[in-house]
């Protein structure tokens, strides 16, 4: 009886510990790999926000500042709050305007968000937003990731979180990733010709909310599939006549 009693008590402690552990550790966010590591980059779509992802470089977008006030809701609002209003402060002071392709880089305040560096890329005037805008953003993002030597990159468009619904989220993600691949392919070719320092990005996470997750996975997959054959047909002769 004594042995049975001890067994029951031990089992109860194990169950209690497991339950406690489950209560303290939240489930990992949903994440789906996309593509077969095109150009060596492991792309994925993850159901998380730009304020929660651990990355060497976290990238978000922002429309051109409006004198009447910028829109912050959802993930954009949470992000700005997490960094102590740093982004809204810079925009309100006119120190980050948000023209198309303009970039604003900073290290998040200590203890604010997990990312080591934060890059904001301008989308320009909101009424002029287009898929071409996101292609420009993609080129800037890829080149900055290489320049900053960021192995693990995360990107959240946060366009919906700035109140804009003009572009389908999945299509926007596709345009961005296609452009990232095109610009990164150029970086790799420059490296192969000894024209820039060697560096490779290993992981690129596209952050998406529950409503847009499946569309992002589908569209990014199609974008990768469509882009790789185009890159394979690129000119292979050296960029410079002085390159041996």
């Amino acid at each position: 009886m004594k042995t049975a009693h001890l067994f029951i008590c031990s089992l109860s402690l194990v169950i209690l510990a497991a339950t406690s552990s489950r209560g303290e550790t939240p489930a990992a966010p949903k994440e789906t790999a996309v593509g077969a590591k095109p150009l060596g980059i492991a792309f994925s779509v993850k159901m998380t926000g730009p304020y929660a992802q651990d990355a060497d470089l976290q990238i978000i977008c922002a429309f051109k500042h409006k004198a009447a006030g910028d829109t912050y809701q959802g993930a954009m609002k949470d992000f700005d709050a997490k960094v102590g209003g740093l982004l809204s402060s810079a925009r309100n002071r006119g120190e980050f305007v948000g023209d198309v392709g303009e970039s604003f880089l900073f290290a998040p305040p200590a203890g604010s968000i997990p990312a080591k560096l934060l890059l904001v890329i301008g989308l320009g005037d909101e009424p002029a937003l287009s898929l071409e805008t996101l292609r420009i953003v993609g080129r800037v993002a890829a080149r900055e990731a290489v320049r900053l030597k960021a192995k693990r990159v995360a990107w959240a468009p946060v366009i919906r979180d700035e109140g804009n619904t003009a572009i389908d989220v999945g299509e926007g993600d596709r345009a961005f990733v296609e452009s990232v691949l095109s610009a990164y392919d150029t970086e790799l070719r420059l490296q192969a010709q000894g024209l820039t320092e060697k560096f490779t990005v290993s992981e690129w996470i596209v952050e998406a909310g529950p409503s847009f997750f499946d569309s992002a996975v589908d569209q990014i997959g199609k974008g990768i599939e469509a882009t790789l054959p185009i890159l394979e047909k690129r000119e292979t002769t050296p960029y410079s006549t002085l390159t041996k």
Side-chain angles (χ1 to χ4, degrees), residues 14-88:
V14 170
I15 294 172
L16 179 62
T19 303
S20 175
S21 176
R22 287 196 299 270
E24 293 174 3
T25 305
K30 182 178 180 181
E31 184 173 11
T32 299
V34 186
K37 293 188 178 181
L39 304 184
I41 302 177
F43 281 93
S44 67
V45 177
K46 189 171 183 178
M47 200 178 292
T48 189
Y51 47 80
Q53 179 60 46
D54 182 16
D56 295 319
L57 179 65
Q58 171 69 58
I59 305 171
I60 64 171
C61 301
F63 286 110
K64 188 171 183 177
H65 174 64
K66 305 179 188 69
D70 301 308
T71 301
Y72 293 86
Q73 57 191 35
M76 188 65 157
K77 181 179 179 180
D78 293 339
F79 168 81
D80 192 49
K82 290 281 187 181
V83 295
L86 192 159
L87 178 57
S88 56

Side-chain angles (χ1 to χ4, degrees), residues 25-242:
T25 305
K30 182 178 180 181
E31 184 173 11
T32 299
V34 186
K37 293 188 178 181
L39 304 184
I41 302 177
F43 281 93
S44 67
V45 177
K46 189 171 183 178
M47 200 178 292
T48 189
Y51 47 80
Q53 179 60 46
D54 182 16
D56 295 319
L57 179 65
Q58 171 69 58
I59 305 171
I60 64 171
C61 301
F63 286 110
K64 188 171 183 177
H65 174 64
K66 305 179 188 69
D70 301 308
T71 301
Y72 293 86
Q73 57 191 35
M76 188 65 157
K77 181 179 179 180
D78 293 339
F79 168 81
D80 192 49
K82 290 281 187 181
V83 295
L86 192 159
L87 178 57
S88 56
S89 177
R91 296 175 83 188
N92 291 336
R93 296 178 189 187
E95 295 173 20
F96 173 62
V97 177
D99 286 324
V100 178
E102 179 185 359
S103 61
F104 179 54
L105 176 71
F106 62 88
S112 59
I113 63 174
K116 295 180 178 67
L117 289 173
L118 194 291
L119 178 67
V120 187
I121 303 177
L123 294 168
D125 291 313
E126 186 171 349
L129 179 68
S130 67
L131 292 178
E132 182 56 31
T133 305
L134 288 168
R135 293 188 183 100
I136 294 171
V137 170
R139 289 195 291 272
V140 174
R143 289 167 182 156
E144 285 296 279
V146 172
R147 183 180 72 84
L148 295 167
K149 293 181 170 51
K151 298 290 288 185
R152 193 180 196 206
V153 185
W155 176 68
V158 293
I159 292 173
R160 286 289 193 275
D161 302 288
E162 295 178 68
N164 187 286
T165 60
I167 291 178
D168 176 81
V169 173
E171 291 179 3
D173 290 342
R174 173 176 176 168
F176 173 85
V177 170
E178 288 177 345
S179 201
V180 165
L181 287 172
S182 295
Y184 186 66
D185 180 70
T186 299
E187 293 292 328
L188 293 180
R189 290 168 187 264
L190 288 169
Q191 292 176 22
Q193 294 175 34
L195 299 172
T196 188
E197 185 178 355
K198 288 187 178 295
F199 178 80
T200 55
V201 176
S202 61
E203 184 176 0
W204 201 297
I205 300 163
V206 176
E207 297 156 343
S211 300
F212 311 109
F213 188 91
D214 292 339
S215 174
V217 171
D218 178 60
Q219 289 293 331
I220 291 172
K222 290 177 179 176
I224 292 172
E225 187 177 348
T227 302
L228 292 180
I230 296 173
L231 299 181
E232 290 175 359
K233 295 177 181 178
R234 279 183 161 182
E235 177 63 61
T236 58
T237 55
Y239 291 108
S240 171
T241 57
L242 302 179

